Amino acid sequence: MTDTTTNHEPSRVLDRVVIRFAGDSGDGMQLAGDRFTTSSALLGNDLATLPDFPAEIRAPAGTLAGVSAFQVHISDHDILTPGDDPNVLVAMNPAALRANLPTLPPGATIIANVDAFDDRNLGKAGFAHNPLADGSLSAYTVYEVPMTSITTEVCKEAGVKPRDAERSKNFFALGLISWLYTRPLDPTVEWIEARFSSNPMVKEANLRALKAGFHFGETAELFESSYEVRPAPLEPGEYVNVTGNTAVAWGLIAASRVSGLPLFLGTYPITPASDILHELSKHKNFGVRTFQAEDEIAGVGAALGAAFGGALGVTTTSGPGLDLKAETIGLAVSLELPLVVVDIQRGGPSTGLPTKTEQGDLLHAMYGRHGEAPLPIVAASTPSHCFDVALEAVRLAVKYRTPVILLSDGYLANGTEPWRLPDVERLPRIDPDFATAPNHTRPDGTEELWPYQRDEATLARPWAPPGVAGLEHRIGGLEKSDGSGSVAYDGANHERMTRLRAAKIAGITADIPLVEVDDEQAGATVLVVGWGSTYGAIAAGVRRVRALGHQVAHAHLTHLNPFPPNLGDVLRSYRSVLVPEVNLGQLSRLLRAEYLVDVVSFTKVQGVPFRAAEIESAILHQVDAEARREEEAGAGWPASAGGEQ
Amino acid sequence: MTDLAEPGAITQTTRKDWTSDQEVRWCPGCGDYSILAAVQMLLPELGVRRENTVFLSGIGCAARFPYYMNTYGLHSIHGRAPAIATGLAATRPDLDVWVVTGDGDSLSIGGNHLIHALRRNINITILLFNNQIYGLTKGQYSPTSEVAKVTKSTPFGSLERPFNPLSLALGAEATFVARTHDMDRKHMMETFRRAHDHRGASFVEIYQNCNVFNDGAFAQITGKDNRGEMLIPLVHGEPIRYGPEGEHGVVLRADGSISLVEVADVDESDLLVHDEHRDNPGLAFQLSRLSRGPFEPTPIGVFRDVERAEYGAEMARQIEETTARKGPGDLRDLLRSGSSWTVS
Ligand code: SF4
């Protein structure tokens, strides 16, 4: 399919390109982007994607509020982010153009569906004049393509009514972009045939639109040439393109497999976490039970009840749901039962920005319960990392009999990247280590289970689900006597139990990997410390700074409570520590409190991930400040890096 | 391990086997004691295993119940026991799960969980100790307190109309609904036995005297001398009648309402015959509202007992059917279930 007709120059080779498909939320832009991504993955490109949904399901057509976009970054080398700014914008209507113009750098290409640029749509988008005609887009290369009319025309021949045919215009756009970037159509053709097999008319319309778009590129003398982005040298192996939410779901299923614990998900639908429920509910043949509860509280309650019964209890949610689950998570801290709480963070407070990303729940995860109620927190860095982190959350929950909070966010949840599949046979086992025998002898010689008699090494208590004779016991949310677990109100015992619970969680630090520092030449003075989904932007920013000849180090945290054992030493071995976060500085507060290191917080809360360029300039600023300080101070330098930016 | 370790055999147990070593801490004279005794005396008769029995509760005086049972037990948080029990019962169909709750716990803070556990027909037995007051927090009105009740939090009288717990349960699609009271151990044991034997969610309201904060709330109907005239025993398949000589009864009127009559005034064949298994809950609902409060003749016994699919069993069925159709899940296949590609 890559042969081009003689009208064109041969395709030009690009090392990377960022394409943004934008249209009305009913225009099928997510689908077009997703199919383009799949064909690029099959071609062997490295890639990263970022969907951008409107909060309303169906905002009025043609308005800015209704614009839905999908950005995909493909390249012939290893990339880390979905790209700061698009090189190509596909705008299906004036609103899509207007909403995305601010991020479009001069020189970018705009492919506009000219049929949609009528007075009515221009008005709805707030354009006084048609930007395609008034010269305001002179900084861009603009291609006007009558997508709607060609689509209806080619579909008419197949007997599809114009109103129905119009819905296939996303496939026209996909066909055109596929030609422009020399993607084969076959995988999409196969996909359409399978997906719409029960609806021959729609299938035919979509196929015709797809091919018409491709042929338009080939035959219309609009485009000078097509482009090629060659395969990236990825490590050998089998790959899939995976979203963070899918990876969480698969990680939980894998954890159920390696632990032998049946998976029970108790949850309540909430954006952007619901896709984990959707995915898990499909896999009943893995013994997965999914329970859509009456509310967030019941979701976590049922998960905890399942854990009491010896299942792998999991609940999934986003910020507002985490608020509601706090009391039950506190109960799980007190009961010391395994429980995994997955929080897909979104913009807050309150309903906030449901479809936009944020890292706003770290302190909530850390402290959002009454009393002293510590628990482990782990965070995923990339979509595929969600798989590993789900396994790690389960490992910690089961081994230490504790609720664990797994933090992901809207960006990881819906973003994708190619993932080299792990060897499932080599995933480490997780031993539930259920209690099988009494652990205490009464004065009269009879035996019983003391539910709070702890393992000396881990301080974990026995997990003794009902069903074993002789291990009957009662536990609850009231303070318990150290050892026997009977209700106990005395102060000295409460202090002992409070310190034991804290020591159990703190002790996990000896059971997690050291934080690795990426410090190429070991000569950097500035360390960038991040957590969660900022990984890609920070790593890309670090690369750019290094490309400019500076040295900078990067450490990224997966374990946020407890921290890795070497973190203090790492922080103290750099002259300044920059902490970028998509919140107002939550990790930076924890680091300062824990290590008395005066870290520099760099933050943004716009519902979107950092751009690599923003990280780059923040690092450069820090590197400059360090250089100046060194100059001023001669040989010595002050210990602290100064205030927040 | 103890006496019950031999698999298969259920050893004969006594009340003592079901009693934990914890000192019971309810106020002396509290109705909770007789409910506890009824349960502990019933369990040996049920032929069930201690290790397969779980008592689960929320918060309140009644919620201390699990500590006193020598079974597995979980004392959880306010109102959430039905939700926690849902996860347990849905994953462990081999267990007998009892939920012990009060009128504040399950009708106020936990109302949502109660109605949904009933609607889903989770395999649990709910014992609702209704004392029409908040006991543990020392005497505020509850969602079952009568209008104008003067309590610590309502010095000028409560403004709220109470819930009728049985009407609520029936409205929530409950498949087993019964009422009993703490003054009649035999009736309690019989009602609990029926509730236990029912597959799915069983809901039992127990009129329970809180002798400290609401003493005598049910005395007008449950007192030894008043019972004959004031309690209407429901017996499946029998005409509904009450009174020391069975001289009073219940009839269904032409307009569809039910009312109390003197048997002498009607043809005996006009008396309403109680049918627990009636598919339509309408008559059970009317019976649940026959008395406006514990000062009028009040039906007790099983109001409704119908068979419906049980949630945990249905969940297990979907797993079995899916596994039979697709084969047991293979992790490697799962991970490559999108379109995978190979880089060599
Ligand atoms: S306060 Fe009332 S219900 Fe609670 S234990 Fe005392 S008497 Fe019983």
Side-chain angles (χ1 to χ4, degrees), chain A residues 38 41-42 44 234-241 250 253-254 257 264 279 282-295 297-298 301-302 305-306 308-309 311 327-328 331 335 387 418-419 421-425 427 436-438 442 447-448 464-478 486-487 489, chain B residues 1-2 4-5 20-22 25 50-54 56 64 66-78 80 82-88 90-95 109 112-114 116-117 119-120 122 311-312 315-316 318-320 322-323 326-332 334-344:
Chain A
T38 301
L42 294 175
L234 296 170
E235 262 187 83
E238 189 175 6
Y239 284 77
V240 296
N241 192 39
W250 291 355
I253 291 175
R257 269 298 149 94
F264 178 91
E279 180 64 23
K282 289 193 268 187
H283 301 299
K284 299 203 193 303
N285 59 331
F286 284 84
V288 177
R289 286 175 167 79
T290 53
F291 170 62
Q292 183 179 314
E294 58 271 23
D295 59 26
I297 299 172
F308 178 73
E327 189 192 18
T328 309
L331 176 65
L335 295 179
F387 180 86
W419 176 37
L421 296 181
D423 179 354
V424 296
E425 299 306 323
L427 295 174
T436 52
R442 297 192 192 93
E447 295 191 310
E448 65 179 327
V468 181
L471 301 188
E472 293 86 356
H473 65 280
R474 276 68 55 194
I475 55 177
L478 286 169
S486 308
V487 175
Y489 295 115
Chain B
M1 300 261 199
T2 59
L4 291 171
S20 79
D21 59 1
Q22 298 292 302
R25 300 239 185 121
R50 279 191 321 173
E51 68 270 24
N52 288 346
T53 304
V54 180
L56 232 152
R64 296 302 177 89
Y67 289 121
Y68 308 138
M69 299 298 301
N70 189 14
T71 62
Y72 285 88
L74 177 50
H75 176 216
S76 74
I77 43 178
H78 210 9
R80 316 301 169 205
I84 295 170
T86 294
L88 180 61
T91 48
R92 293 293 305 272
D94 56 321
L95 301 179
I109 191 166
N112 197 27
H113 307 308
L114 176 76
H116 289 280
R119 169 177 75 83
R120 294 192 180 103
I122 308 289
Y311 188 85
M315 227 180 199
Q318 282 195 337
I319 288 178
E320 272 168 34
T322 313
T323 309
K326 295 197 197 168
D330 181 288
L331 199 51
R332 192 187 305 271
L334 172 70
L335 300 192
R336 47 162 52 138
S337 60
S339 8
S340 77
W341 69 97
T342 302
V343 175
S344 44

Side-chain angles (χ1 to χ4, degrees), chain B residues 26-27 30 32 61 131 135 208 210-213:
Chain B
W26 288 310
C27 306
C30 175
D32 290 0
C61 294
N131 54 22
Q208 174 246 323
C210 168
N211 58 309
V212 173
F213 294 110

